[in-house]
Amino acid sequence: MIISVIGSGGKTTKIKQLKDQYLKEGKSVLMTTSTHMKIEENTLVNPSYEEIINEIKKHGFVHAGSRAKNQKIKALDDDLLKRLKKEIDVILIEADGSHGLPLKYPRDHEPAVDKDSDEIILITSLKGLGKPVQDVVHGYQEMKVDENQIVDCLFVQQLINIYLEKIKKYNIPIKIQVNGASTLYEKALASLLENQKEVTLINEEWFLPQPKLVILGAGHVSQYVSKLASMLDFYTIVIDERKEFACKELFPKANEIHCVSFDKADFYFPKETNTCYVIVTRGHKDDRLCLKKTLSLQSLYVGMIGSKKKVKQTYDALLEEGYQQDALDKVHAPIGLPIKAVTPAEIAVSIMSEIIAIKNEHQYSSMTSDLLEVQGDGVLCIITDKKGSTPRTVGSMMFVSEKGLVGSIGGGREEYQAILDAKDCQKVMMKHYELNNNESANLGMICGGSNDVLFLPIKQH
């Protein structure tokens, strides 16, 4: 068995993992290179056939190559390698170089694949996403692209396709491994790339977390707003200067509670630009102070409680200080949807309803924190298209693993069937679930419509 490992972003690590795997199976292993590889402890440099075989007998494996410059080894002598191919069970060849960068554009003579290889493993990484080409792509100069171009998922797929086109002449089975995936979105991208499917099948906006919510003031309305925000999976920050109000007893579900004066509140404001601010303090002075701190920020929502008279007084004071009417027009005041709310709980419902309406105008995601932070192997199921009336919209997700389910694509028999399909899923696939007429009745649905569901196997490398 001869395996050539090419690409970038973790080839040596992959070779060591394969070595350990094959040693457990009782097989002898040679690790070498057809280009250049670092000399590590116990590496045999310029070894003879006998030295290599003796090392194999002692340890079951050997790391060997001919001496090169800069503390590196290069390929073994051709005749020596031919002899070893007959004697050693598994030969792992690092057949490419990327100078430690996560991505690579292969030059004309690259990669240096051994023609006797039984398998080629193409390694790449997502660690270059969002960074300039010049910083993360080895050999980018030959691509004729702007060195300051930002790497996105389409760029990574382009590099993979260039490799695939270059190595198809060998007619050797190819596996793709994508490293560096940390977020759920990146894990979904990795699944598509490894299965040679278009990355445009998914939308990054589907994977946005719910906005963070900053509640300025900790009175009765705030307490109900916090409860509702928790139910809706908003990360909630409560700020008030009164110790008897800014406490866990009154806000058990809040993610953060800060008892500070409002002039220091912005120290605890999130960096995310889709943050929502709810100003519900106890007086005009604090309302005006908090509003001033939010007006200069890029945010998804700013709302301030108060009667029309109170709001006008606050606005007039800010206009006298030099603030522009255009900025004030973006503030939702009086706060909340006009549902004739009276009680603190009803006012909280009107506030969160307004925030939900605005949020859903600007992002598609219904991502919960449990789903966003899911770990381990499993299958991610995503609704990518829908027609007619269905329980969930495009971008809704469910993660199916041996540990159970996280998320939902609508419940009912459709979801039950999708769970069964996910448990049998070995590669990326798309399934259509028709919920109309007779099939709708069979699936126990009364809404009709149809969904296309994308199944993405998620694996930890």
Side-chain angles (χ1 to χ4, degrees):
M1 167 72 77
I2 301 173
I3 300 175
S4 288
V5 182
I6 65 173
S8 56
K11 296 184 300 297
T12 302
T13 299
K14 181 63 177 179
I15 285 174
K16 291 178 179 179
Q17 290 172 346
L18 290 171
K19 179 259 295 182
D20 292 339
Q21 172 189 324
Y22 286 117
L23 283 178
K24 289 181 180 178
E25 296 175 8
K27 296 180 180 179
S28 56
V29 180
L30 164 64
M31 297 180 292
T32 189
T33 181
S34 58
T35 56
H36 292 92
M37 203 172 182
K38 287 184 180 179
I39 296 176
E40 300 183 359
E41 187 178 0
N42 298 322
T43 299
L44 294 184
V45 180
N46 294 333
S48 65
Y49 170 81
E50 288 76 17
E51 287 175 317
I52 290 176
I53 296 301
N54 285 337
E55 192 72 10
I56 289 286
K57 289 178 178 178
K58 288 180 183 178
H59 305 289
F61 72 96
V62 63
H63 183 210
S66 302
R67 183 174 294 281
K69 297 179 180 178
N70 300 323
Q71 289 297 306
K72 290 187 175 183
I73 54 172
K74 58 184 180 179
L76 291 165
D77 176 78
D78 286 344
D79 292 335
L80 174 57
L81 186 58
K82 286 179 182 179
R83 290 185 68 187
L84 294 171
K85 287 177 180 179
K86 298 176 183 179
E87 299 291 333
I88 297 175
D89 297 324
V90 180
I91 298 179
L92 306 173
I93 302 175
E94 186 170 306
D96 211 356
S98 61
H99 286 209
L101 293 176
L103 297 166
K104 178 177 177 179
Y105 175 81
R107 292 171 291 183
D108 291 341
H109 61 283
E110 295 172 326
V113 174
D114 189 295
K115 294 181 180 179
D116 294 329
S117 296
D118 298 285
E119 181 178 87
I120 298 173
I121 299 179
L122 170 57
I123 306 285
T124 191
S125 175
L126 296 179
K127 289 185 177 180
L129 288 177
K131 299 176 182 177
V133 165
Q134 63 178 332
D135 293 342
V136 293
V137 182
H138 179 57
Y140 75 89
Q141 296 89 343
E142 299 189 28
M143 293 187 71
K144 298 179 180 179
V145 298
D146 183 349
E147 63 183 16
N148 294 309
Q149 177 181 331
I150 299 301
V151 172
D152 59 13
C153 56
L154 287 170
F155 189 91
V156 176
Q157 187 152 61
Q158 178 188 358
L159 291 176
I160 290 175
N161 289 337
I162 290 169
Y163 262 105
L164 294 175
E165 183 64 25
K166 293 197 70 170
I167 60 181
K168 69 179 183 181
K169 62 184 179 183
Y170 295 107
N171 197 28
I172 297 171
I174 301 164
K175 287 184 180 178
I176 300 172
Q177 177 175 313
V178 180
N179 296 330
S182 55
T183 66
L184 185 61
Y185 171 63
E186 290 173 352
K187 292 173 184 177
L189 282 180
S191 183
L192 290 170
L193 293 169
E194 290 175 350
N195 286 269
Q196 299 181 46
K197 302 296 183 182
E198 294 298 320
V199 292
T200 52
L201 285 172
I202 60 175
N203 187 329
E204 187 173 5
E205 288 189 352
W206 298 342
F207 295 81
L208 289 175
Q210 296 287 59
K212 290 186 176 180
L213 174 65
V214 178
I215 305 174
L216 294 155
H220 290 94
V221 171
S222 301
Q223 293 165 36
Y224 283 102
V225 170
S226 179
K227 289 178 182 178
L228 288 174
S230 176
M231 291 172 57
L232 296 167
D233 212 53
F234 282 70
Y235 185 98
T236 307
I237 301 169
V238 178
I239 300 174
D240 199 296
E241 56 192 3
R242 298 168 293 175
K243 290 183 179 180
E244 64 271 25
F245 284 88
C247 59
K248 200 67 176 176
E249 289 75 19
L250 296 181
F251 294 91
K253 298 293 186 179
N255 299 93
E256 297 179 31
I257 303 171
H258 302 288
C259 183
V260 295
S261 60
F262 288 115
D263 63 348
K264 298 179 180 177
D266 50 336
F267 180 80
Y268 300 97
F269 288 177
K271 296 179 180 180
E272 289 84 353
T273 58
N274 67 338
T275 298
C276 300
Y277 296 89
V278 172
I279 302 172
V280 280
T281 71
R282 59 178 174 172
H284 294 282
K285 178 183 176 183
D286 290 334
D287 283 349
R288 188 164 67 251
L289 176 59
C290 291
L291 188 55
K292 287 167 64 175
K293 289 186 175 294
T294 60
L295 285 176
S296 61
L297 302 175
Q298 185 177 350
S299 59
L300 179 63
Y301 175 91
V302 176
M304 183 176 68
I305 201 169
S307 64
K308 290 183 180 180
K309 180 181 178 181
K310 177 184 174 185
V311 170
K312 184 179 185 304
Q313 289 174 341
T314 301
Y315 281 10
D316 289 344
L318 290 175
L319 289 170
E320 288 182 9
E321 292 184 35
Y323 285 87
Q324 299 300 309
Q325 185 65 50
D326 288 349
L328 297 175
D329 288 342
K330 297 177 183 178
V331 180
H332 297 268
I335 199 169
L337 294 181
I339 61 173
K340 301 185 185 301
V342 176
T343 68
E346 290 174 347
I347 295 171
V349 169
S350 74
I351 293 171
M352 290 309 300
S353 297
E354 186 172 50
I355 289 174
I356 290 168
I358 290 170
K359 173 184 78 73
N360 289 343
E361 284 181 5
H362 292 83
Q363 70 178 54
Y364 303 114
S365 175
S366 58
M367 181 71 63
T368 65
S369 57
D370 287 346
L371 186 54
L372 196 64
E373 298 168 5
V374 73
Q375 298 293 324
D377 294 350
V379 175
L380 185 64
C381 312
I382 310 174
I383 298 177
T384 59
D385 193 22
K386 60 166 281 187
K387 291 180 175 63
S389 176
T390 60
R392 289 295 180 98
T393 189
V394 169
S396 296
M397 302 183 202
M398 170 178 70
F399 188 77
V400 182
S401 70
E402 293 182 356
K403 296 179 180 178
L405 302 179
V406 180
S408 174
I409 57 171
R413 286 294 301 276
E414 178 201 12
E415 183 168 291
Y416 174 73
Q417 184 60 50
I419 292 169
L420 296 180
D421 293 336
K423 290 181 177 179
D424 291 333
C425 179
Q426 299 297 319
K427 59 183 180 180
V428 172
M429 65 180 187
M430 185 80 74
K431 296 213 64 171
H432 180 78
Y433 296 93
E434 188 68 44
L435 304 176
N436 288 312
N437 304 324
N438 292 334
E439 290 194 37
S440 175
N442 291 335
L443 288 174
M445 305 294 291
I446 59 174
C447 57
S450 62
N451 283 332
D452 289 336
V453 178
L454 177 65
F455 292 79
L456 298 173
I458 304 294
K459 297 186 181 299
Q460 308 298 316
H461 292 306

